[in-house]
Amino acid sequence: MADTFDDVLDRFRRAAKGFEHHLRAVPPGGWGAPTPCPEWDVRQLANHMTRGNLNYVGLVHGATREEFLAQRDADALGDDPVTAFTASAEACTAAFAGSGALDRVVDYPMGALTGRRALAVRTADSVVHTWDLARALGAGDTLDADLVAWVDDGYDDIFAGLAVDRFFADPPAGAPPASRQDRLLTRFGRDPR
């Protein structure tokens, strides 16, 4: 079996493209629409993703967890959310493609991680938030099946030892859903019904 962290840069690119696809479909009046993340509307979710990408760039370049968290909610969208997100995804890809970046230990807020593992966390977050955005827009919310399988199969490796309970909601009550995507979303505190 392949290592969970093989091809993580390509997986991040694919996850970012999935989010961008839905972001381009936000109608002019849709930025205030609620999302499955109770604390965020569509614009706040897009900002979380954009700012997150930029914060990961900072980690690769030596930023501390304190600096990461201090910037977490700062506006990164300006007047053009789609362009801002796309540029942030490209910057994140470039940073992690840099020499030694995937092996460098970064000061991630949930604990010190290699760049490779930090990017895996970022990719998993991107996959789940793509579903959040699709749901908010009432769009097709079927995720990239290969990415779903990768996050689901690699979950324990990706999040081993991290205090994920500080960041993920509890799974909804009830019987586990039948589809792999729904099981994964439930694992991240989403109710896919």
Side-chain angles (χ1 to χ4, degrees):
M1 185 174 137
D3 185 281
T4 298
F5 304 105
D6 287 349
D7 303 320
V8 68
L9 195 57
D10 180 58
R11 293 178 200 284
F12 171 74
R13 284 187 191 105
R14 286 173 41 208
K17 283 291 183 194
F19 190 84
E20 179 186 339
H21 168 78
H22 290 294
L23 196 62
R24 289 185 179 283
V26 177
W31 294 101
T35 72
C37 305
E39 66 275 14
W40 293 328
D41 61 21
V42 168
R43 183 177 172 85
Q44 290 165 317
L45 174 60
N47 191 66
H48 168 75
M49 292 297 294
T50 305
R51 173 52 54 199
N53 288 338
L54 296 174
N55 284 349
Y56 275 73
V57 170
L59 289 176
V60 169
H61 295 300
T64 65
R65 69 186 68 198
E66 290 80 12
E67 291 167 326
F68 182 105
L69 292 171
Q71 288 295 311
R72 190 168 185 203
D73 296 321
D75 180 61
L77 298 180
D79 296 331
D80 189 349
V82 174
T83 298
F85 173 78
T86 302
S88 76
E90 289 170 359
C92 192
T93 299
F96 281 93
S99 179
L102 292 175
D103 296 318
R104 186 173 305 132
V105 175
V106 298
D107 191 22
Y108 188 67
M110 289 192 284
L113 301 175
T114 63
R116 182 174 279 101
R117 192 160 162 223
L119 188 58
V121 170
R122 183 78 197 130
T123 303
D125 192 52
S126 298
V127 170
V128 173
H129 284 317
T130 295
W131 181 85
D132 293 332
L133 181 56
R135 270 292 166 106
L137 299 174
D141 60 10
T142 300
L143 297 168
D144 179 312
D146 290 335
L147 288 174
V148 167
W150 173 75
V151 176
D152 191 36
D153 289 342
Y155 184 92
D156 291 338
D157 292 332
I158 295 167
F159 295 103
L162 301 180
V164 294
D165 57 331
R166 291 177 47 213
F167 293 91
F168 302 154
D170 291 331
S179 79
R180 187 171 217 185
Q181 174 176 307
D182 288 354
R183 284 193 311 269
L184 178 68
L185 292 166
T186 300
R187 201 173 204 178
F188 282 85
R190 276 32 176 209
D191 187 348
R193 292 172 286 177

